[in-house]
Amino acid sequence: MAATIRDIRDRTGLSLATISKYLNGGNVLPKNRKLIEEAIEELHYEVNELARGLVTNRTKTIGVLVYDIQCVFVGNMLHYLGQALHKDGYGLLICDSCNDAEIEARNLQFLLSRKVDGILVFAVSLKGSFLDAAKKAEVPVVLLDRAFRNEEFDCIEIDNRTAMLRAANKLIERGHRRIAVVASDIEYTGMERMKGFEDALADAGITVPSAYRVCGRHSFELGYQGVRDLLRLPEPPSAVILSNYDTTLGGIMAVNESRFNCPGDISIIGFDGLLMTKVIRPRLWIVVQPMEGMAKSAVELLLKRISHEENGSPLRISFSAGIREGDSIRNL
């Protein structure tokens, strides 16, 4: 039979009020804390978080809305988020929005019904109106990776526009002028990265055909079909930037199945230094996002909102992305 708070009382001789205060995060005398912790360990007492939540109005649970749980970037971010939250005694409740804004809105309602203390959002939607219910319930929200066009929420991201500009400049510095890009025109990250691509071309006075801009939703399929189409053009690009992890893998497969080789025929820069990019040959030039740092920052900000340590206007924290050099760019 599971130990109860009364068993702790009998073991320690302390009052139920003192023990309850400790279990609910209150301050007790050091000698009493020691007695309670020893009793908890000896009795294998497990805190009933649901019951404690009724007292503290906290469930020690953080909801996470993700646009696609199959996305490797999302999976890695969830790993780092879980690590950071675990240190503060929080668990995760993850909902997959399947790249569908309607599912995303229903998932939000589900999380609110489970009384989560806060919500981390990898958004499908470009506008934040679906989060109005969280605002009304006074449940803090922090966006990750993607911001909204009009709504202001706390957001942790990379400077996508500058990251792409720097990637394009690496190609321009090496003599490339026929530069293509595969990027989303649906998702916030892709649209910001496309702006950076255009910035770099404008700064260098370069004009490229419209066919060199391959757009769609970030996916393996977009990268694969996009690069296949680029290589079939009468004048293929000399270089291509693949603007997220999935498009990078798809684009590399398309090159491998073609008569072209990298970097001899086409130079490549990809995004996100995850596992597969480390084993692909030639070794890729990669834009690397500081995922662990982003996750820690998001958790820190969300917990400060929950505890009311941070009460100001929404914060937008942008990290700089690095570029890992490889062998996939040829000098022209």
Side-chain angles (χ1 to χ4, degrees), residues 78-100:
L78 288 172
H79 168 72
Y80 291 124
L81 290 169
Q83 283 186 327
L85 285 166
H86 178 72
K87 291 178 180 178
D88 284 281
Y90 282 84
L92 292 177
L93 183 55
I94 302 165
C95 290
D96 185 3
S97 299
C98 304
N99 281 312
D100 186 314

Side-chain angles (χ1 to χ4, degrees), residues 293-314:
M294 292 167 66
K296 287 180 178 178
S297 182
V299 167
E300 180 181 348
L301 179 54
L302 185 63
L303 296 186
K304 284 183 177 180
R305 292 296 191 190
I306 291 170
S307 66
H308 302 292
E309 292 179 54
E310 182 67 61
N311 292 307
S313 300

